[in-house]
């Protein structure tokens, strides 16, 4: 899902759901494509999850990328990138 609130200051929540147990990698990149943070890199159970993000970054546009890989079927992968705007 889209992070909420967006734009945000000082924090936002990123909500996502996985239908089966999966390995989830959630990263943050800036507009130059540079990795500026890693919020999650772990196995999760099936269901809805919420990750809070309170960055110590300057105002700007950032992108969060979610990559989920099924633990039982590694060929089942999902990737999505969304935009988050930080206003200070």
């Amino acid at each position: 899902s889209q992070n909420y609130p967006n734009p945000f200051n000082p924090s936002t929540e990123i909500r996502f759901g996985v239908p089966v147990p999966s390995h989830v990698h959630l990263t943050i990149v800036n507009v130059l494509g540079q990795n500026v943070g890693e919020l999650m890199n772990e196995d999760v159970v099936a269901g809805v999850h919420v990750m809070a993000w309170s960055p110590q970054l300057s105002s700007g546009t950032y992108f969060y990328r979610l990559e989920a890989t099924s633990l039982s079927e590694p060929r089942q992968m999902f990737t999505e990138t969304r935009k988050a705007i930080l206003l200070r």
Side-chain angles (χ1 to χ4, degrees):
S1 299
Q2 183 65 48
N3 65 301
Y4 181 83
N6 191 31
F8 69 96
N9 179 17
S11 64
T12 189
E13 289 186 343
I14 299 170
R15 182 179 306 266
F16 64 92
V18 291
V20 296
S22 302
H23 182 82
V24 173
H25 192 205
L26 183 59
T27 56
I28 309 294
V29 297
N30 63 19
V31 294
L32 300 175
Q34 300 165 324
N35 188 346
V36 296
E38 180 178 82
L39 299 182
M40 179 181 276
N41 190 12
E42 61 190 63
D43 295 344
V44 299
V45 297
V48 176
H49 303 271
V50 178
M51 179 59 64
W53 181 37
S54 299
Q56 299 299 313
L57 300 167
S58 59
S59 293
T61 301
Y62 296 90
F63 298 91
Y64 57 96
R65 179 179 174 95
L66 175 78
E67 298 173 353
T69 304
S70 169
L71 294 176
S72 61
E73 295 288 332
R75 286 190 234 146
Q76 291 183 355
M77 296 180 285
F78 174 81
T79 302
E80 186 163 3
T81 303
R82 298 229 177 175
K83 179 171 55 172
I85 299 170
L86 172 60
L87 297 177
R88 294 268 181 211

